[in-house]
Amino acid sequence: MRLQPNASVHITIPDTVDKLDNDLNHLRNADQVVALEVNAPLNGRSLESIATLAKLEDLKLNKMDDFTPKQLEQLQALKQLHTLYLRSAIYLRTPPDYTDEVLQVIGTLTQLRTLAVGTYKSRFSSQGVIALKSLKDLKSLSFKSADPIDAGLQE
């Protein structure tokens, strides 16, 4: 099937997919993909392929369990990215410097309007949150079930 040149593609990968190709190589340079939601488990290697989706505006990674802040930096190539969900991405990580490093990288994605990070007991400090100040267009921010470690953030 051939798509129209101006068509926008939205892809949702369900969690029923058994051990997805973690590199997502089949999506490389798919220049019509504007939205990608992956509910199946992924690892950091997949970010390299995702970063080639030049028109991507909406990225939801609901089981991104193993990645480094350095791998996350690849998303800086996505200049049209406005929505980013990293659910279960920083699940029970200790120490919180890891989460803070992730938030620092996210702070470089200055075009974001919607951001949701972490799940149950994600730990972060004020240093991580301060890194998000550069997100001037941000309209929605969620730290679902997060566990801030600074007393000032807990209020």
Side-chain angles (χ1 to χ4, degrees), residues 93-108:
R93 295 280 188 165
T94 50
D97 335 354
Y98 173 84
T99 306
D100 288 345
E101 285 180 47
V102 167
L103 294 178
Q104 288 168 5
V105 172
I106 291 171
T108 67

Side-chain angles (χ1 to χ4, degrees), residues 11 17 23 30 36 55 66 68 77 84 86 102 114 129 132 154:
I11 299 173
V17 174
D23 294 341
L36 175 63
K55 293 184 181 175
D66 186 26
T68 66
L84 177 61
L86 289 176
V102 167
T114 303
V129 175
L132 300 178
Q154 294 174 358

